[in-house]
Amino acid sequence: EIRRWKRDRREVFVRCVRVTGEAAVHEWPEKIVVHANEETAVDVPPPQRGHKRQDHPARLTILLRPGTNCIFFDTAAGAVPADQFAVVVVLTSTLTVQSFVVDVLSR
């Protein structure tokens, strides 16, 4: 289905959220490397001392191929243990503002 997804302007992203606390916030563990089909898709290094790291979703689409894909994660525990994070692979669609408004108003 990956060919159809690309044709339909759909993207596959990896997101990570911290599963403890009041609010779900996109946040990577202190260090994480995401591999897709034996290629490094994302390499999030530990933050530099005194700096806040910008944690954005990571795009996987370009590394995916038709058929079965192998995706794995390598993490290093920091101040927050890695088991307090949930990693999610999501399929997204690109929408125009107009189509988004129409969709929201139709609900």
Side-chain angles (χ1 to χ4, degrees):
E1 292 188 53
I2 190 70
R3 286 187 183 120
R4 183 169 44 93
W5 293 345
K6 288 178 180 180
R7 185 182 64 240
D8 294 343
R9 294 179 30 184
R10 299 182 91 180
E11 295 280 353
V12 178
F13 283 90
V14 174
R15 297 192 65 127
C16 186
V17 293
R18 196 160 162 190
V19 294
T20 60
E22 295 292 319
V25 176
H26 178 84
E27 179 182 342
W28 294 107
E30 183 166 328
K31 174 163 179 43
I32 187 169
V33 181
V34 180
H35 303 274
N37 298 319
E38 300 181 14
E39 296 282 340
T40 300
V42 181
D43 187 351
V44 179
Q48 294 179 358
R49 180 179 238 154
H51 293 276
K52 180 164 175 51
R53 185 176 66 195
Q54 297 294 316
D55 292 344
H56 300 287
R59 196 167 108 198
L60 284 184
T61 313
I62 196 158
L63 295 176
L64 299 179
R65 56 185 178 229
T68 302
N69 288 275
C70 178
I71 300 171
F72 69 95
F73 308 90
D74 184 15
T75 65
V80 179
D83 65 355
Q84 292 186 15
F85 293 90
V87 178
V88 182
V89 178
V90 296
L91 177 64
T92 65
S93 296
T94 303
L95 300 175
T96 64
V97 173
Q98 182 179 1
S99 65
F100 180 75
V101 169
V102 168
D103 184 51
V104 170
L105 293 177
S106 69
R107 294 175 187 225

